Short mmCIF file of all heavy atoms in Angstrom, two decimals:
data_model
loop_
_atom_site.label_atom_id
_atom_site.label_comp_id
_atom_site.label_asym_id
_atom_site.label_seq_id
_atom_site.Cartn_x
_atom_site.Cartn_y
_atom_site.Cartn_z
N MET A 1171 -8.98 200.23 -161.11
CA MET A 1171 -8.52 201.18 -160.08
C MET A 1171 -7.54 200.50 -159.13
O MET A 1171 -7.62 199.32 -158.87
CB MET A 1171 -9.72 201.71 -159.29
CG MET A 1171 -9.92 203.21 -159.42
SD MET A 1171 -8.83 204.11 -158.32
CE MET A 1171 -9.63 203.73 -156.74
N THR A 1172 -6.63 201.30 -158.66
CA THR A 1172 -5.63 200.78 -157.73
C THR A 1172 -5.09 201.94 -156.90
O THR A 1172 -5.49 203.09 -157.11
CB THR A 1172 -4.48 200.08 -158.49
OG1 THR A 1172 -3.57 199.52 -157.57
CG2 THR A 1172 -3.72 201.08 -159.37
N HIS A 1173 -4.21 201.64 -155.99
CA HIS A 1173 -3.45 202.68 -155.31
C HIS A 1173 -2.06 202.74 -155.94
O HIS A 1173 -1.56 201.73 -156.45
CB HIS A 1173 -3.38 202.40 -153.81
CG HIS A 1173 -4.60 202.87 -153.06
ND1 HIS A 1173 -5.87 202.48 -153.41
CD2 HIS A 1173 -4.73 203.72 -152.02
CE1 HIS A 1173 -6.74 203.06 -152.59
NE2 HIS A 1173 -6.07 203.83 -151.73
N ILE A 1174 -1.47 203.94 -155.90
CA ILE A 1174 -0.21 204.19 -156.60
C ILE A 1174 0.82 204.73 -155.60
O ILE A 1174 0.50 205.63 -154.80
CB ILE A 1174 -0.43 205.25 -157.72
CG1 ILE A 1174 -1.44 204.76 -158.77
CG2 ILE A 1174 0.91 205.64 -158.37
CD1 ILE A 1174 -0.98 203.62 -159.65
N ILE A 1175 2.02 204.19 -155.65
CA ILE A 1175 3.13 204.70 -154.83
C ILE A 1175 3.92 205.71 -155.67
O ILE A 1175 4.22 205.46 -156.83
CB ILE A 1175 4.03 203.56 -154.34
CG1 ILE A 1175 3.22 202.61 -153.46
CG2 ILE A 1175 5.22 204.13 -153.57
CD1 ILE A 1175 4.00 201.43 -152.91
N THR A 1176 4.24 206.85 -155.05
CA THR A 1176 4.88 207.95 -155.78
C THR A 1176 6.29 208.21 -155.24
O THR A 1176 6.79 207.47 -154.39
CB THR A 1176 3.99 209.21 -155.69
OG1 THR A 1176 3.84 209.57 -154.31
CG2 THR A 1176 2.62 208.96 -156.32
N SER A 1177 6.90 209.29 -155.70
CA SER A 1177 8.34 209.53 -155.50
C SER A 1177 8.85 209.55 -154.07
O SER A 1177 10.00 209.18 -153.84
CB SER A 1177 8.74 210.83 -156.21
OG SER A 1177 8.10 211.94 -155.62
N PRO A 1178 8.08 209.99 -153.06
CA PRO A 1178 8.66 210.01 -151.71
C PRO A 1178 9.11 208.63 -151.20
O PRO A 1178 9.92 208.55 -150.27
CB PRO A 1178 7.53 210.58 -150.83
CG PRO A 1178 6.71 211.38 -151.78
CD PRO A 1178 6.75 210.61 -153.08
N CYS A 1179 8.63 207.56 -151.82
CA CYS A 1179 9.07 206.22 -151.42
C CYS A 1179 10.54 205.99 -151.78
O CYS A 1179 11.24 205.27 -151.08
CB CYS A 1179 8.20 205.15 -152.05
SG CYS A 1179 8.64 203.46 -151.55
N ILE A 1180 10.99 206.63 -152.86
CA ILE A 1180 12.38 206.45 -153.29
C ILE A 1180 13.31 206.99 -152.20
O ILE A 1180 13.21 208.15 -151.80
CB ILE A 1180 12.62 207.18 -154.63
CG1 ILE A 1180 11.74 206.57 -155.73
CG2 ILE A 1180 14.10 207.09 -155.02
CD1 ILE A 1180 11.76 207.34 -157.05
N GLY A 1181 14.15 206.13 -151.72
CA GLY A 1181 15.06 206.54 -150.65
C GLY A 1181 14.50 206.33 -149.25
O GLY A 1181 15.20 206.51 -148.26
N THR A 1182 13.20 205.98 -149.17
CA THR A 1182 12.59 205.72 -147.86
C THR A 1182 12.40 204.22 -147.68
O THR A 1182 13.07 203.60 -146.84
CB THR A 1182 11.25 206.45 -147.71
OG1 THR A 1182 11.41 207.83 -148.01
CG2 THR A 1182 10.71 206.30 -146.28
N LYS A 1183 11.49 203.65 -148.49
CA LYS A 1183 11.37 202.18 -148.56
C LYS A 1183 11.37 201.51 -147.20
O LYS A 1183 12.08 200.54 -146.98
CB LYS A 1183 12.55 201.62 -149.39
CG LYS A 1183 12.27 201.51 -150.87
CD LYS A 1183 13.32 200.67 -151.58
CE LYS A 1183 13.04 199.20 -151.48
NZ LYS A 1183 14.05 198.38 -152.15
N ASP A 1184 10.59 202.02 -146.28
CA ASP A 1184 10.64 201.45 -144.92
C ASP A 1184 9.71 200.25 -144.73
O ASP A 1184 9.70 199.65 -143.66
CB ASP A 1184 10.30 202.54 -143.90
CG ASP A 1184 8.85 202.94 -144.00
OD1 ASP A 1184 8.26 202.82 -145.11
OD2 ASP A 1184 8.29 203.37 -142.98
N GLN A 1185 8.95 199.92 -145.75
CA GLN A 1185 8.07 198.74 -145.74
C GLN A 1185 6.88 198.84 -144.80
O GLN A 1185 6.21 197.83 -144.55
CB GLN A 1185 8.85 197.46 -145.39
CG GLN A 1185 10.00 197.18 -146.34
CD GLN A 1185 10.66 195.85 -146.05
OE1 GLN A 1185 10.01 194.83 -145.90
NE2 GLN A 1185 11.98 195.85 -145.96
N ALA A 1186 6.59 200.01 -144.26
CA ALA A 1186 5.43 200.15 -143.37
C ALA A 1186 4.15 199.73 -144.10
O ALA A 1186 3.27 199.09 -143.52
CB ALA A 1186 5.33 201.59 -142.88
N CYS A 1187 4.04 200.08 -145.37
CA CYS A 1187 2.84 199.75 -146.13
C CYS A 1187 2.68 198.24 -146.30
O CYS A 1187 1.57 197.70 -146.25
CB CYS A 1187 2.85 200.43 -147.48
SG CYS A 1187 4.34 200.09 -148.47
N THR A 1188 3.79 197.55 -146.53
CA THR A 1188 3.70 196.11 -146.77
C THR A 1188 3.19 195.38 -145.53
O THR A 1188 2.60 194.31 -145.64
CB THR A 1188 5.07 195.52 -147.19
OG1 THR A 1188 5.97 195.61 -146.08
CG2 THR A 1188 5.63 196.28 -148.38
N GLU A 1189 3.44 195.97 -144.37
CA GLU A 1189 3.01 195.31 -143.13
C GLU A 1189 1.52 195.41 -142.89
O GLU A 1189 0.95 194.61 -142.14
CB GLU A 1189 3.79 195.90 -141.94
CG GLU A 1189 5.28 195.52 -141.99
CD GLU A 1189 6.11 196.29 -141.00
OE1 GLU A 1189 5.54 196.95 -140.09
OE2 GLU A 1189 7.34 196.27 -141.14
N VAL A 1190 0.86 196.40 -143.49
CA VAL A 1190 -0.57 196.58 -143.24
C VAL A 1190 -1.45 196.11 -144.40
O VAL A 1190 -2.66 195.99 -144.25
CB VAL A 1190 -0.92 198.04 -142.90
CG1 VAL A 1190 -0.16 198.50 -141.65
CG2 VAL A 1190 -0.63 198.97 -144.07
N CYS A 1191 -0.86 195.86 -145.56
CA CYS A 1191 -1.69 195.48 -146.73
C CYS A 1191 -2.28 194.08 -146.52
O CYS A 1191 -1.52 193.12 -146.35
CB CYS A 1191 -0.84 195.50 -147.99
SG CYS A 1191 -1.79 195.00 -149.45
N PRO A 1192 -3.61 193.96 -146.54
CA PRO A 1192 -4.24 192.67 -146.25
C PRO A 1192 -4.06 191.63 -147.35
O PRO A 1192 -4.27 190.43 -147.11
CB PRO A 1192 -5.72 193.03 -146.07
CG PRO A 1192 -5.91 194.27 -146.88
CD PRO A 1192 -4.61 195.02 -146.78
N VAL A 1193 -3.71 192.07 -148.55
CA VAL A 1193 -3.57 191.11 -149.66
C VAL A 1193 -2.11 190.99 -150.14
O VAL A 1193 -1.84 190.34 -151.16
CB VAL A 1193 -4.50 191.44 -150.84
CG1 VAL A 1193 -5.96 191.30 -150.41
CG2 VAL A 1193 -4.24 192.85 -151.37
N GLU A 1194 -1.19 191.63 -149.44
CA GLU A 1194 0.25 191.54 -149.75
C GLU A 1194 0.54 191.80 -151.22
O GLU A 1194 1.22 191.02 -151.89
CB GLU A 1194 0.79 190.17 -149.32
CG GLU A 1194 0.65 189.96 -147.82
CD GLU A 1194 1.27 188.66 -147.32
OE1 GLU A 1194 1.73 187.85 -148.15
OE2 GLU A 1194 1.32 188.47 -146.09
N CYS A 1195 0.02 192.93 -151.72
CA CYS A 1195 0.19 193.24 -153.14
C CYS A 1195 1.22 194.35 -153.37
O CYS A 1195 1.27 194.93 -154.45
CB CYS A 1195 -1.15 193.65 -153.76
SG CYS A 1195 -1.85 195.18 -153.13
N ILE A 1196 2.04 194.66 -152.36
CA ILE A 1196 3.05 195.71 -152.48
C ILE A 1196 4.41 195.03 -152.56
O ILE A 1196 4.81 194.30 -151.64
CB ILE A 1196 2.99 196.68 -151.29
CG1 ILE A 1196 1.56 197.23 -151.13
CG2 ILE A 1196 3.98 197.83 -151.51
CD1 ILE A 1196 1.36 198.08 -149.87
N TYR A 1197 5.12 195.29 -153.68
CA TYR A 1197 6.33 194.52 -153.98
C TYR A 1197 7.56 195.41 -154.06
O TYR A 1197 7.49 196.56 -154.53
CB TYR A 1197 6.15 193.80 -155.32
CG TYR A 1197 5.06 192.75 -155.28
CD1 TYR A 1197 3.74 193.08 -155.60
CD2 TYR A 1197 5.35 191.44 -154.93
CE1 TYR A 1197 2.73 192.12 -155.56
CE2 TYR A 1197 4.35 190.47 -154.91
CZ TYR A 1197 3.04 190.82 -155.22
OH TYR A 1197 2.05 189.86 -155.18
N ASP A 1198 8.71 194.85 -153.68
CA ASP A 1198 10.00 195.53 -153.80
C ASP A 1198 10.33 195.67 -155.28
O ASP A 1198 10.44 194.68 -155.99
CB ASP A 1198 11.07 194.70 -153.08
CG ASP A 1198 12.37 195.48 -152.93
OD1 ASP A 1198 12.61 196.44 -153.69
OD2 ASP A 1198 13.15 195.10 -152.05
N ALA A 1199 10.49 196.91 -155.75
CA ALA A 1199 10.78 197.17 -157.16
C ALA A 1199 12.12 197.87 -157.32
O ALA A 1199 12.30 198.69 -158.21
CB ALA A 1199 9.64 197.99 -157.78
N GLY A 1200 13.05 197.57 -156.45
CA GLY A 1200 14.36 198.18 -156.56
C GLY A 1200 14.48 199.43 -155.72
O GLY A 1200 14.56 199.34 -154.50
N GLU A 1201 14.45 200.61 -156.36
CA GLU A 1201 14.63 201.84 -155.60
C GLU A 1201 13.39 202.24 -154.81
O GLU A 1201 13.43 203.16 -154.00
CB GLU A 1201 15.04 202.99 -156.53
CG GLU A 1201 13.97 203.38 -157.52
CD GLU A 1201 14.39 204.58 -158.38
OE1 GLU A 1201 15.47 205.12 -158.14
OE2 GLU A 1201 13.60 204.95 -159.28
N MET A 1202 12.27 201.55 -155.07
CA MET A 1202 11.03 201.87 -154.36
C MET A 1202 10.15 200.63 -154.32
O MET A 1202 10.47 199.61 -154.90
CB MET A 1202 10.28 203.01 -155.05
CG MET A 1202 9.79 202.66 -156.46
SD MET A 1202 9.04 204.04 -157.35
CE MET A 1202 7.59 204.37 -156.33
N TYR A 1203 9.01 200.77 -153.64
CA TYR A 1203 8.00 199.72 -153.68
C TYR A 1203 6.91 200.11 -154.68
O TYR A 1203 6.68 201.30 -154.92
CB TYR A 1203 7.37 199.49 -152.29
CG TYR A 1203 8.22 198.57 -151.43
CD1 TYR A 1203 9.35 199.04 -150.79
CD2 TYR A 1203 7.89 197.23 -151.32
CE1 TYR A 1203 10.14 198.19 -150.02
CE2 TYR A 1203 8.68 196.37 -150.56
CZ TYR A 1203 9.79 196.85 -149.92
OH TYR A 1203 10.57 196.01 -149.18
N LEU A 1204 6.25 199.11 -155.26
CA LEU A 1204 5.17 199.37 -156.20
C LEU A 1204 4.01 198.43 -155.88
O LEU A 1204 4.20 197.35 -155.32
CB LEU A 1204 5.63 199.13 -157.64
CG LEU A 1204 6.68 200.14 -158.18
CD1 LEU A 1204 7.21 199.68 -159.53
CD2 LEU A 1204 6.09 201.54 -158.30
N ILE A 1205 2.80 198.87 -156.23
CA ILE A 1205 1.57 198.12 -155.92
C ILE A 1205 1.07 197.40 -157.17
O ILE A 1205 0.91 198.03 -158.22
CB ILE A 1205 0.49 199.09 -155.39
CG1 ILE A 1205 0.94 199.67 -154.05
CG2 ILE A 1205 -0.85 198.37 -155.26
CD1 ILE A 1205 0.05 200.77 -153.52
N HIS A 1206 0.82 196.10 -157.03
CA HIS A 1206 0.28 195.35 -158.17
C HIS A 1206 -1.17 195.79 -158.41
O HIS A 1206 -2.04 195.57 -157.56
CB HIS A 1206 0.32 193.85 -157.87
CG HIS A 1206 0.14 193.01 -159.09
ND1 HIS A 1206 -0.94 193.16 -159.95
CD2 HIS A 1206 0.90 192.02 -159.63
CE1 HIS A 1206 -0.84 192.30 -160.94
NE2 HIS A 1206 0.27 191.60 -160.78
N PRO A 1207 -1.43 196.39 -159.58
CA PRO A 1207 -2.76 196.97 -159.82
C PRO A 1207 -3.90 195.96 -159.90
O PRO A 1207 -5.05 196.32 -159.64
CB PRO A 1207 -2.61 197.73 -161.14
CG PRO A 1207 -1.34 197.31 -161.73
CD PRO A 1207 -0.51 196.62 -160.69
N ASP A 1208 -3.59 194.72 -160.26
CA ASP A 1208 -4.65 193.72 -160.33
C ASP A 1208 -4.95 193.07 -158.98
O ASP A 1208 -6.03 192.53 -158.77
CB ASP A 1208 -4.28 192.61 -161.33
CG ASP A 1208 -4.28 193.11 -162.76
OD1 ASP A 1208 -4.91 194.14 -163.02
OD2 ASP A 1208 -3.64 192.46 -163.60
N GLU A 1209 -4.00 193.15 -158.07
CA GLU A 1209 -4.16 192.52 -156.77
C GLU A 1209 -4.70 193.47 -155.71
O GLU A 1209 -5.31 193.05 -154.72
CB GLU A 1209 -2.83 191.91 -156.30
CG GLU A 1209 -2.32 190.81 -157.23
CD GLU A 1209 -0.97 190.27 -156.81
OE1 GLU A 1209 -0.42 190.73 -155.79
OE2 GLU A 1209 -0.46 189.38 -157.51
N CYS A 1210 -4.45 194.77 -155.87
CA CYS A 1210 -4.88 195.79 -154.90
C CYS A 1210 -6.40 195.83 -154.84
O CYS A 1210 -7.07 195.89 -155.88
CB CYS A 1210 -4.33 197.15 -155.30
SG CYS A 1210 -4.91 198.51 -154.28
N ILE A 1211 -6.95 195.80 -153.63
CA ILE A 1211 -8.41 195.84 -153.45
C ILE A 1211 -8.89 197.23 -153.00
O ILE A 1211 -10.03 197.41 -152.60
CB ILE A 1211 -8.87 194.77 -152.44
CG1 ILE A 1211 -8.21 194.99 -151.06
CG2 ILE A 1211 -8.58 193.37 -152.98
CD1 ILE A 1211 -8.77 194.10 -149.95
N ASP A 1212 -7.98 198.22 -153.09
CA ASP A 1212 -8.35 199.62 -152.80
C ASP A 1212 -8.92 199.81 -151.40
O ASP A 1212 -9.83 200.59 -151.19
CB ASP A 1212 -9.35 200.15 -153.84
CG ASP A 1212 -8.65 200.51 -155.14
OD1 ASP A 1212 -7.53 201.04 -155.09
OD2 ASP A 1212 -9.25 200.27 -156.21
N CYS A 1213 -8.35 199.10 -150.45
CA CYS A 1213 -8.86 199.22 -149.07
C CYS A 1213 -8.39 200.49 -148.40
O CYS A 1213 -9.00 200.97 -147.44
CB CYS A 1213 -8.43 198.01 -148.26
SG CYS A 1213 -6.66 197.98 -147.87
N GLY A 1214 -7.26 201.05 -148.87
CA GLY A 1214 -6.75 202.30 -148.32
C GLY A 1214 -5.92 202.17 -147.05
O GLY A 1214 -5.44 203.17 -146.52
N ALA A 1215 -5.71 200.96 -146.57
CA ALA A 1215 -4.98 200.78 -145.31
C ALA A 1215 -3.54 201.27 -145.39
O ALA A 1215 -2.96 201.72 -144.39
CB ALA A 1215 -4.99 199.29 -144.92
N CYS A 1216 -2.94 201.22 -146.56
CA CYS A 1216 -1.53 201.61 -146.70
C CYS A 1216 -1.34 203.12 -146.66
O CYS A 1216 -0.25 203.59 -146.33
CB CYS A 1216 -0.98 201.06 -148.02
SG CYS A 1216 -1.95 201.55 -149.47
N VAL A 1217 -2.36 203.88 -146.99
CA VAL A 1217 -2.21 205.34 -147.12
C VAL A 1217 -1.74 205.99 -145.82
O VAL A 1217 -0.71 206.67 -145.79
CB VAL A 1217 -3.50 205.99 -147.66
CG1 VAL A 1217 -3.38 207.51 -147.67
CG2 VAL A 1217 -3.82 205.47 -149.05
N PRO A 1218 -2.45 205.81 -144.69
CA PRO A 1218 -1.99 206.44 -143.45
C PRO A 1218 -0.74 205.77 -142.86
O PRO A 1218 -0.07 206.37 -142.02
CB PRO A 1218 -3.18 206.29 -142.50
CG PRO A 1218 -3.94 205.12 -143.02
CD PRO A 1218 -3.74 205.13 -144.51
N ALA A 1219 -0.41 204.56 -143.31
CA ALA A 1219 0.76 203.87 -142.77
C ALA A 1219 2.06 204.43 -143.31
O ALA A 1219 3.11 204.30 -142.68
CB ALA A 1219 0.67 202.38 -143.11
N CYS A 1220 2.01 205.08 -144.45
CA CYS A 1220 3.24 205.57 -145.09
C CYS A 1220 3.73 206.85 -144.41
O CYS A 1220 3.03 207.85 -144.40
CB CYS A 1220 2.99 205.84 -146.57
SG CYS A 1220 4.48 206.46 -147.40
N PRO A 1221 4.96 206.83 -143.85
CA PRO A 1221 5.46 207.99 -143.10
C PRO A 1221 5.77 209.20 -143.97
O PRO A 1221 5.92 210.30 -143.46
CB PRO A 1221 6.74 207.45 -142.45
CG PRO A 1221 7.19 206.35 -143.35
CD PRO A 1221 5.92 205.73 -143.89
N VAL A 1222 5.87 208.98 -145.29
CA VAL A 1222 6.19 210.10 -146.18
C VAL A 1222 5.05 210.41 -147.16
O VAL A 1222 5.23 211.12 -148.16
CB VAL A 1222 7.50 209.83 -146.97
CG1 VAL A 1222 8.69 209.87 -146.02
CG2 VAL A 1222 7.45 208.49 -147.70
N SER A 1223 3.85 209.88 -146.86
CA SER A 1223 2.65 210.15 -147.67
C SER A 1223 2.88 209.93 -149.16
O SER A 1223 2.57 210.78 -149.99
CB SER A 1223 2.15 211.59 -147.44
OG SER A 1223 1.84 211.78 -146.06
N ALA A 1224 3.43 208.79 -149.49
CA ALA A 1224 3.74 208.48 -150.89
C ALA A 1224 2.62 207.78 -151.62
O ALA A 1224 2.68 207.64 -152.85
CB ALA A 1224 5.00 207.62 -150.95
N ILE A 1225 1.57 207.31 -150.91
CA ILE A 1225 0.57 206.45 -151.54
C ILE A 1225 -0.76 207.19 -151.71
O ILE A 1225 -1.25 207.83 -150.76
CB ILE A 1225 0.34 205.17 -150.70
CG1 ILE A 1225 1.69 204.53 -150.35
CG2 ILE A 1225 -0.54 204.19 -151.49
CD1 ILE A 1225 1.57 203.33 -149.42
N PHE A 1226 -1.32 207.06 -152.91
CA PHE A 1226 -2.58 207.73 -153.23
C PHE A 1226 -3.49 206.80 -154.03
O PHE A 1226 -3.00 205.97 -154.81
CB PHE A 1226 -2.32 208.97 -154.11
CG PHE A 1226 -1.45 210.00 -153.46
CD1 PHE A 1226 -0.07 209.95 -153.59
CD2 PHE A 1226 -2.00 211.02 -152.70
CE1 PHE A 1226 0.74 210.90 -152.97
CE2 PHE A 1226 -1.21 211.97 -152.08
CZ PHE A 1226 0.18 211.91 -152.22
N PRO A 1227 -4.81 206.97 -153.90
CA PRO A 1227 -5.71 206.32 -154.85
C PRO A 1227 -5.34 206.85 -156.25
O PRO A 1227 -4.93 208.00 -156.38
CB PRO A 1227 -7.10 206.82 -154.45
CG PRO A 1227 -6.95 207.28 -153.04
CD PRO A 1227 -5.55 207.76 -152.91
N GLU A 1228 -5.46 206.02 -157.26
CA GLU A 1228 -5.00 206.41 -158.60
C GLU A 1228 -5.55 207.76 -159.03
O GLU A 1228 -4.84 208.57 -159.61
CB GLU A 1228 -5.40 205.32 -159.61
CG GLU A 1228 -4.92 205.61 -161.02
CD GLU A 1228 -5.17 204.46 -161.97
OE1 GLU A 1228 -5.51 203.36 -161.53
OE2 GLU A 1228 -5.04 204.70 -163.19
N GLU A 1229 -6.83 208.02 -158.75
CA GLU A 1229 -7.44 209.26 -159.23
C GLU A 1229 -6.99 210.49 -158.44
O GLU A 1229 -7.27 211.61 -158.84
CB GLU A 1229 -8.97 209.15 -159.22
CG GLU A 1229 -9.60 209.11 -157.82
CD GLU A 1229 -9.71 207.71 -157.25
OE1 GLU A 1229 -8.98 206.81 -157.71
OE2 GLU A 1229 -10.54 207.51 -156.36
N ASP A 1230 -6.28 210.28 -157.34
CA ASP A 1230 -5.85 211.41 -156.50
C ASP A 1230 -4.34 211.64 -156.53
O ASP A 1230 -3.81 212.40 -155.72
CB ASP A 1230 -6.27 211.17 -155.04
CG ASP A 1230 -7.78 211.20 -154.87
OD1 ASP A 1230 -8.46 211.82 -155.71
OD2 ASP A 1230 -8.27 210.59 -153.90
N VAL A 1231 -3.64 211.00 -157.45
CA VAL A 1231 -2.18 211.19 -157.54
C VAL A 1231 -1.92 212.67 -157.83
O VAL A 1231 -2.51 213.26 -158.74
CB VAL A 1231 -1.59 210.30 -158.65
CG1 VAL A 1231 -0.14 210.67 -158.95
CG2 VAL A 1231 -1.69 208.83 -158.25
N PRO A 1232 -1.02 213.31 -157.05
CA PRO A 1232 -0.81 214.76 -157.20
C PRO A 1232 -0.15 215.16 -158.51
O PRO A 1232 0.54 214.34 -159.13
CB PRO A 1232 0.13 215.09 -156.02
CG PRO A 1232 0.16 213.91 -155.14
CD PRO A 1232 -0.25 212.73 -155.96
N ALA A 1233 -0.32 216.40 -158.89
CA ALA A 1233 0.33 216.95 -160.07
C ALA A 1233 1.84 216.76 -159.95
O ALA A 1233 2.42 216.98 -158.88
CB ALA A 1233 -0.02 218.42 -160.22
N GLY A 1234 2.45 216.34 -161.03
CA GLY A 1234 3.89 216.13 -161.05
C GLY A 1234 4.28 214.71 -160.71
O GLY A 1234 5.43 214.32 -160.90
N GLU A 1235 3.32 213.93 -160.20
CA GLU A 1235 3.61 212.54 -159.82
C GLU A 1235 2.93 211.55 -160.77
O GLU A 1235 2.96 210.34 -160.54
CB GLU A 1235 3.15 212.27 -158.39
CG GLU A 1235 3.86 213.10 -157.33
CD GLU A 1235 5.27 212.61 -157.01
OE1 GLU A 1235 5.55 211.42 -157.20
OE2 GLU A 1235 6.08 213.44 -156.57
N GLU A 1236 2.34 212.07 -161.86
CA GLU A 1236 1.54 211.21 -162.73
C GLU A 1236 2.36 210.09 -163.39
O GLU A 1236 1.83 209.05 -163.76
CB GLU A 1236 0.84 212.02 -163.82
CG GLU A 1236 -0.17 213.03 -163.31
CD GLU A 1236 0.42 214.43 -163.13
OE1 GLU A 1236 1.66 214.54 -163.04
OE2 GLU A 1236 -0.38 215.40 -163.09
N SER A 1237 3.67 210.33 -163.56
CA SER A 1237 4.49 209.32 -164.23
C SER A 1237 4.57 208.02 -163.44
O SER A 1237 4.91 206.97 -163.99
CB SER A 1237 5.91 209.85 -164.47
OG SER A 1237 6.58 210.02 -163.23
N PHE A 1238 4.22 208.08 -162.15
CA PHE A 1238 4.26 206.87 -161.33
C PHE A 1238 3.05 205.98 -161.58
O PHE A 1238 3.07 204.82 -161.18
CB PHE A 1238 4.40 207.23 -159.85
CG PHE A 1238 5.78 207.71 -159.52
CD1 PHE A 1238 6.10 209.06 -159.60
CD2 PHE A 1238 6.78 206.82 -159.19
CE1 PHE A 1238 7.38 209.51 -159.34
CE2 PHE A 1238 8.07 207.24 -158.94
CZ PHE A 1238 8.38 208.60 -159.02
N ILE A 1239 2.03 206.49 -162.23
CA ILE A 1239 0.87 205.64 -162.55
C ILE A 1239 1.28 204.57 -163.57
O ILE A 1239 1.16 203.38 -163.28
CB ILE A 1239 -0.33 206.49 -163.02
CG1 ILE A 1239 -0.77 207.43 -161.89
CG2 ILE A 1239 -1.47 205.58 -163.48
CD1 ILE A 1239 -1.87 208.41 -162.28
N PRO A 1240 1.80 204.97 -164.76
CA PRO A 1240 2.25 203.92 -165.69
C PRO A 1240 3.39 203.08 -165.12
O PRO A 1240 3.53 201.90 -165.44
CB PRO A 1240 2.68 204.68 -166.95
CG PRO A 1240 2.85 206.09 -166.52
CD PRO A 1240 1.90 206.30 -165.37
N ARG A 1241 4.21 203.68 -164.28
CA ARG A 1241 5.34 202.92 -163.71
C ARG A 1241 4.82 201.76 -162.87
O ARG A 1241 5.34 200.65 -162.91
CB ARG A 1241 6.20 203.84 -162.86
CG ARG A 1241 7.44 203.18 -162.29
CD ARG A 1241 8.38 204.21 -161.72
NE ARG A 1241 9.51 203.58 -161.06
CZ ARG A 1241 10.60 204.24 -160.67
NH1 ARG A 1241 10.69 205.52 -160.90
NH2 ARG A 1241 11.59 203.62 -160.06
N ASN A 1242 3.76 202.01 -162.08
CA ASN A 1242 3.17 200.93 -161.29
C ASN A 1242 2.58 199.85 -162.19
O ASN A 1242 2.76 198.67 -161.95
CB ASN A 1242 2.07 201.48 -160.37
CG ASN A 1242 2.59 201.94 -159.00
OD1 ASN A 1242 2.38 201.30 -157.98
ND2 ASN A 1242 3.30 203.06 -158.98
N TYR A 1243 1.90 200.26 -163.26
CA TYR A 1243 1.28 199.28 -164.14
C TYR A 1243 2.33 198.49 -164.92
O TYR A 1243 2.26 197.27 -165.03
CB TYR A 1243 0.32 199.98 -165.12
CG TYR A 1243 -1.03 200.29 -164.52
CD1 TYR A 1243 -1.32 201.54 -163.98
CD2 TYR A 1243 -2.03 199.32 -164.49
CE1 TYR A 1243 -2.55 201.83 -163.43
CE2 TYR A 1243 -3.28 199.59 -163.95
CZ TYR A 1243 -3.53 200.85 -163.42
OH TYR A 1243 -4.76 201.12 -162.87
N GLU A 1244 3.32 199.20 -165.49
CA GLU A 1244 4.28 198.56 -166.39
C GLU A 1244 5.19 197.58 -165.64
O GLU A 1244 5.58 196.57 -166.21
CB GLU A 1244 5.11 199.64 -167.10
CG GLU A 1244 4.29 200.36 -168.16
CD GLU A 1244 4.95 201.67 -168.61
OE1 GLU A 1244 6.11 201.93 -168.23
OE2 GLU A 1244 4.28 202.41 -169.34
N PHE A 1245 5.49 197.86 -164.39
CA PHE A 1245 6.37 196.96 -163.65
C PHE A 1245 5.77 195.55 -163.58
O PHE A 1245 6.48 194.56 -163.63
CB PHE A 1245 6.61 197.49 -162.24
CG PHE A 1245 7.51 196.62 -161.41
CD1 PHE A 1245 8.88 196.60 -161.62
CD2 PHE A 1245 6.98 195.80 -160.41
CE1 PHE A 1245 9.71 195.79 -160.87
CE2 PHE A 1245 7.81 194.99 -159.65
CZ PHE A 1245 9.17 194.98 -159.87
N PHE A 1246 4.44 195.49 -163.48
CA PHE A 1246 3.77 194.20 -163.36
C PHE A 1246 3.24 193.68 -164.71
O PHE A 1246 2.56 192.68 -164.76
CB PHE A 1246 2.62 194.29 -162.34
CG PHE A 1246 3.11 194.65 -160.97
CD1 PHE A 1246 2.99 195.95 -160.49
CD2 PHE A 1246 3.74 193.71 -160.16
CE1 PHE A 1246 3.46 196.29 -159.22
CE2 PHE A 1246 4.22 194.04 -158.91
CZ PHE A 1246 4.07 195.32 -158.44
N GLY A 1247 3.52 194.43 -165.78
CA GLY A 1247 3.10 194.00 -167.09
C GLY A 1247 1.61 194.02 -167.32
O GLY A 1247 1.05 193.24 -168.08
N THR A 1248 0.94 194.98 -166.64
CA THR A 1248 -0.52 195.08 -166.79
C THR A 1248 -0.90 196.32 -167.56
O THR A 1248 -0.08 197.19 -167.79
CB THR A 1248 -1.22 195.12 -165.43
OG1 THR A 1248 -0.76 196.27 -164.71
CG2 THR A 1248 -0.95 193.87 -164.64
S1 SF4 B 2653 -5.03 200.00 -150.90
FE1 SF4 B 2653 -5.14 198.18 -149.56
S2 SF4 B 2653 -4.90 196.46 -150.97
FE2 SF4 B 2653 -4.18 198.26 -152.06
S3 SF4 B 2653 -1.99 198.33 -151.68
FE3 SF4 B 2653 -2.96 199.60 -150.11
S4 SF4 B 2653 -3.26 198.23 -148.36
FE4 SF4 B 2653 -2.87 196.94 -150.17
S1 SF4 B 2654 5.27 203.00 -146.40
FE1 SF4 B 2654 5.63 204.61 -147.99
S2 SF4 B 2654 7.86 204.93 -148.00
FE2 SF4 B 2654 7.46 203.01 -146.90
S3 SF4 B 2654 7.72 201.42 -148.49
FE3 SF4 B 2654 5.53 201.96 -148.39
S4 SF4 B 2654 5.23 203.58 -149.93
FE4 SF4 B 2654 7.43 203.39 -149.54
#
């Protein structure tokens, strides 16, 4: 289990989440940020920090945003 960053991050990328993550597992992935699924401890601190509500627990990713689940995993080769 991990947290997943979805489409509203694209074009926003303000790094608010990276400032609150206690394990620094949120990485610059070009057009957006992505969360390393093996490093994330599911603390949830990043969720309210995101000004565009782009971050969800994996099981709560909204309809239409599911493609960001494999995108988060594949970027880190997991
Ligand atoms: S849930 Fe916690 S550990 Fe995971 S990315 Fe967000 S702040 Fe970091
Ligand atoms: S706080 Fe939200 S918009 Fe900002 S970098 Fe993190 S996921 Fe992207």
